[in-house]
Amino acid sequence: QKEVEQDPGPLSVPEGAIVSLNCTYSNSAFQYFMWYRQYSRKGPELLMYTYSSGNKEDGRFTAQVDKSSKYISLFIRDSQPSDSATYLCAMIRLYGAGGTSYGKLTFGQGTILTVHP
Amino acid sequence: NAGVTQTPKFQVLKTGQSMTLQCAQDMNHNSMYWYRQDPGMGLRLIYYSASEGTTDKGEVPNGYNVSRLNKREFSLRLESAAPSQTSVYFCASGGSYYNEQFFGPGTRLTVL
């Protein structure tokens, strides 16, 4: 069983729709939760990160974490064609301390989203 | 502020050739990382460097070596390229708060 499972999609929605992207995880040691957006032939771009259960909002994006259920979601309101991309959930476990700390990211497989006009 | 930069953007090698992928960051981050991304396999960690002067293996280190040249630069070397190393390679650096990682634009490598 993979440590992080992401709804594979693909998703195709009309412009203006609300999009829900979801991941589950099995490792309780994950400390922080992130969402990346990756456009075709580009590097992953960090969208949001959070560490506690609950919601975090940034413009049209809301990240939701439920640690008791080991479940995270990303909601996109009023979706736009420019939101068309692959969305990757990622979970990080930190090691070390201070200037020698580092994080090991575990990614979901990604969900391809297409928003059509 | 360029963030994370990578060179080259594209490369074609023949089996057995060697090459070095370059990565630099201007965000004054301590940790840096190399990943490869393959269809169906997602992003996998090759090597990481927690700080200048230290490096360590990730999930898929075989066939690769790294050098943390200074705080800004972290290079990945393929000593004898194999077709299985055909992939897109991403470098990332770890931020100051939660080691949130910022990625470069990637290098597309094909090994014939």
Side-chain angles (χ1 to χ4, degrees), chain A residues 34-48 85-90 105 107-110, chain B residues 4 6 27 33 35-38 42-44 88-93 100-108:
Chain A
M34 301 170 190
W35 286 94
Y36 285 84
R37 176 174 63 194
Q38 187 173 21
Y39 291 114
S40 181
R41 306 179 79 83
K42 301 289 187 184
E45 171 195 0
L46 180 63
L47 269 181
M48 298 186 72
T86 298
Y87 288 80
L88 300 157
C89 64
L105 272 177
F107 286 89
Q109 291 296 304
Chain B
V4 179
Q6 292 183 238
M27 296 177 281
Y33 308 81
Y35 293 86
R36 60 179 289 175
Q37 187 175 38
D38 303 288
L43 279 152
R44 293 180 292 170
V88 183
Y89 291 86
F90 290 103
C91 176
S93 68
E100 67 279 19
Q101 291 179 22
F102 299 91
F103 285 77
T107 295
R108 293 186 172 272

Side-chain angles (χ1 to χ4, degrees), chain A residues 100-113:
Chain A
T100 59
S101 69
Y102 62 96
K104 287 195 175 178
L105 272 177
T106 303
F107 286 89
Q109 291 296 304
T111 302
I112 299 172
L113 171 66

Side-chain angles (χ1 to χ4, degrees), chain A residues 49-84:
Chain A
Y49 61 90
T50 187
Y51 65 93
S52 57
S53 285
N55 293 349
K56 181 178 180 181
E57 208 171 296
D58 184 0
R60 296 185 295 111
F61 298 90
T62 299
Q64 186 177 81
V65 174
D66 183 343
K67 285 188 172 181
S68 62
S69 301
K70 295 190 177 66
Y71 189 90
I72 72 169
S73 297
L74 179 71
F75 298 97
I76 307 174
R77 290 184 300 282
D78 188 25
S79 55
Q80 303 294 309
S82 58
D83 295 328
S84 298

